[in-house]
Each structure stands twice: as C-alpha cells, then as structure tokens.
Amino acid sequence: MKIAVLPGDGIGTEIVAEAVKVLRVLDLKLEMETALVGGAAYEAQGHPLPESTLALAQAADAVLFGAVGDWKYDKLERALRPEQAILGLRKHLGLFANFRPALCYEQLTHASSLKPELVAGLDILIIRELTGDIYFGLPRGRRKAVDGHFPGADEAFDTMRYSRPEVERIAHVAFQAARQRSKKVTSVDKANVLETFQFWKDIVTEVHAQYPDVELEHMYVDNAAMQLVRAPKKFDVVVTGNMFGDILSDEAAMLTGSIGMLPSASLDANNKGLYEPSHGSAPDIAGQGLANPLATILSASMMLRFSLQQPAAADRIESAVKAVLSLGLRTADIWSEGTTKVGTRAMGDAVVAAITGKTITKS
Ligand code: NAD
C-alpha cells in the first residue's frame, strides 16, 4: 500500500508527522513517500503543485494531506497560490466526493458552542460535491458590464453549473453511504431561486428511485444552515453542491467543538482518495506545537477504511483517540477546566501509546 504524504504549510508539517507516527505503529505494510505541496513547493520549485508531487499522488493508493496556505502568498497571482494545489489535486485525481463526518465525542460535548443536549451523540456525514459548481464553472472573470444595474461599470462574474452525470454520481454516493448508516439523506439545494439547483433536486429525486429503502428529504440551504444549529441530530447524511457544502461543513465542524477534531476524505469513483483534516494551515499557531493533530490522525484512519481496506486498523486508531480523550488529554483548542493541556507531539505520542498498549502518561 503506497501512500503519498503531502504535509504542506503551517501546521501541516506538525500534524502530518503525528499521523505518520501513528500509521507506523500499526504493523501494516505501508510505503510512505513525502513530497512538497502548497507554499513550501512554491518556495522550492516555483509551483504549488509541482509535476513530481502530482505524479507521486497519481501513482499512490491514497494521499495523506496536511494543509496549505499562508497569508504571505495572498498577493501572488491566483494560479501560484498554495490553495491551487488542493484544487489541482482534486481535479487531476477526479476526487468528486468529499466526506466530512461531524461527530461529537462524548468527552467533548462541552467544547461545542451549542448546548450539550443538542450535540451529545451527534454523528452526521456531510457529502459535498467537490469538482463542480460555481468553484469550477466557466466562464469566470472580470469585465465591463453590458447590462444589469450598472451598465458600463466594472464587474466580476462566476458560473454556477452542474451536469447530469455530476449530480447522478454524487447522489449515488450519498444513498450508498446512507445505507451503511441510518438510511436517511437530506439533499440541500436552493431550488427556489437557482436553476442549477432545481436541476440538482430533480436528478437527486430520480436517482432516489433506485434506493427505496433510503428516506430522502430536500431542504433549502438557508433552512439547512438554521437547522444545523437548531436541531443538528435530525440529520444523518447531508448531500449538497460544492459551495453550499463548503460552508455547511464548516458550520457542522463547530458543532463538534473544534475544527481540529474533524477529518475528511475526498474520493474518486474507485475509492482512491485524498485524506486531510477539515481545517487549514492555521498560520496563527504554526510552529508552536499547539495544533491539534487528531483531525489528521482520524483522516489517516478514514484512509485505512475507505481506500486501503484496513477496517481493523482504522478501528484501532479511532479507539485510541477515544482513549486519550477519556484520559482527559486535550490540545489547547479543546481544553477545558479539569482536563490536561498537551501539545501536538504529546497528543500524537498518547495515541501511539494507546494503540501499542503502553501506559499513557499525562505529562
Ligand atoms: P484555518 O482552518 O487554518 O484556521 C482557522 C482557526 O482555527 C485558526 O484560529 C486556527 O488557529 C484554528 N485551527 C485550525 N486548525 C487547528 C488545529 N488543528 N488545532 C488547533 N487550532 C486549529 O483557516 P484560516 O485561518 O481561514 O486559513 C489559514 C490558511 O489556510 C489560509 O491560507 C487558507 O487559504 C488555508 N486553508 C487551507 C485549506 C486546505 O489546505 N485544505 C483549507 C482551509 C484554509
């Protein structure tokens, strides 16, 4: 099993090091090769996604990704900015299905900004379409307006679009995922205003005919944003387009306490995937040993489950994470009175100790 390890920028290098450490103690035959990506690759090789990095990712069975980006690159032309690396990887690897579980660990119920009773036991899965919608739709750009409210004025525009196969395949992914869970899918759209999302809704409804055992509900995105903070446990699988999914999955992240806890998987049609934490490179805390590595460690566990068919190893990681949380170990982002604050490395060490059966110390 070949894994391309792409740590990236900021806290990316710190958190990926911990996930690699955890993978190494699992007694699996894993071949891990590391390459530069994002700002680090731009500095060294002049491009955020060098051809050698893309080739490594293409040749691997799975990609373990940290995070990319730093404010210092904001003035670079768009094509050279670190974030283009992740968009390029999604595009070149055909990663159209983004899985973002939002799971509220019993031990972290009090870290949520919502009342504990609203989030206790929360376990929802947001499936975001990842390679279409307004983020990739062409044409886009700037021009002089020829019509609209201010003809002749400078304007900018993007194009929201979805094709039938794009909606069909993500709908199948959602219904199949729901079959492994509570058999309920909420499709989020804005069909009342947008032609693209009336089309989305029609096609999701058509595909649903093949999954009579799964319940389907449709919800407008504004209502979904509200319901996620009003009664999040009403959801099971949520499927939506690229932009709505981007926003709703971050909202769902906060229900669970910290974005530092949330893994994600981006899969192609054959379950090859890129696995990364849901958060960014956190330049504000980079290099200080403060980052929570658990989202990345849990991303590695998703990788073992979805792309490498190693469910037992994935279970071992997830149990180990629960064990360290039960022991009261917390990085700063999830720390609360009465728990023990630890740094990035100590948290990784504790997960390793829980897996290998060594005594976990709180120091
Ligand atoms: P961010 O997710 O990096 O950080 C948001 C806040 O959450 C910060 O206060 C940060 O300290 C905190 N945080 C994030 N991860 C954490 C962790 N593991 N442990 C503890 N705290 C954590 O988002 P941002 O600040 O908006 O963006 C920073 C950079 O990351 C930007 O350049 C952005 O473009 C990039 N970014 C990259 C990705 C990616 O690589 N997939 C995703 C989002 C943002």
Side-chain angles (χ1 to χ4, degrees), residues 315-330:
D315 287 347
R316 287 178 76 193
I317 295 183
E318 285 158 24
S319 304
V321 167
K322 285 185 190 145
V324 298
L325 291 176
S326 292
L327 208 70
L329 302 186
R330 304 280 189 272

Side-chain angles (χ1 to χ4, degrees), residues 96-241:
F96 70 90
N98 183 223
F99 281 50
R100 286 225 205 168
L103 209 140
C104 188
Y105 287 89
E106 193 192 317
Q107 301 89 338
L108 297 183
T109 308
H110 290 276
S112 171
S113 41
L114 294 193
K115 293 184 200 122
E117 63 268 27
L118 287 184
V119 292
L122 179 77
D123 179 3
I124 60 183
L125 173 63
I126 299 201
I127 299 184
R128 165 187 170 196
E129 198 290 329
L130 206 55
T131 51
D133 204 353
I134 197 163
Y135 288 6
F136 289 92
L138 294 175
R140 60 187 285 167
R142 294 179 184 213
R143 62 187 172 194
K144 289 272 180 234
V146 290
D147 49 18
H149 295 299
F150 296 98
D154 291 339
E155 70 171 9
F157 63 102
D158 298 276
T159 302
M160 177 176 273
R161 58 194 285 183
Y162 266 121
S163 64
R164 171 176 281 277
E166 282 175 299
V167 183
E168 281 176 352
R169 65 182 181 178
I170 196 76
H172 281 293
V173 166
F175 289 123
Q176 282 163 19
R179 277 190 169 157
Q180 314 295 322
R181 300 170 49 98
S182 316
K183 296 194 169 64
K184 183 180 168 193
V185 170
T186 305
S187 171
V188 173
D189 62 58
K190 190 70 185 169
N192 50 341
V193 179
L194 297 169
E195 196 56 40
T196 312
F197 275 91
Q198 181 60 56
F199 181 70
W200 169 285
K201 185 173 180 176
D202 294 345
I203 293 174
V204 171
T205 306
E206 272 176 48
V207 174
H208 178 232
Q210 297 174 45
Y211 300 88
D213 53 321
V214 178
E215 184 193 338
L216 169 66
E217 72 171 344
H218 300 280
M219 194 178 283
Y220 296 141
V221 63
D222 38 348
N223 188 23
M226 192 168 74
Q227 297 304 330
L228 267 177
V229 288
R230 199 183 75 86
K233 285 191 270 186
K234 278 188 7 191
F235 295 101
D236 181 29
V237 173
V238 175
V239 64
T240 189

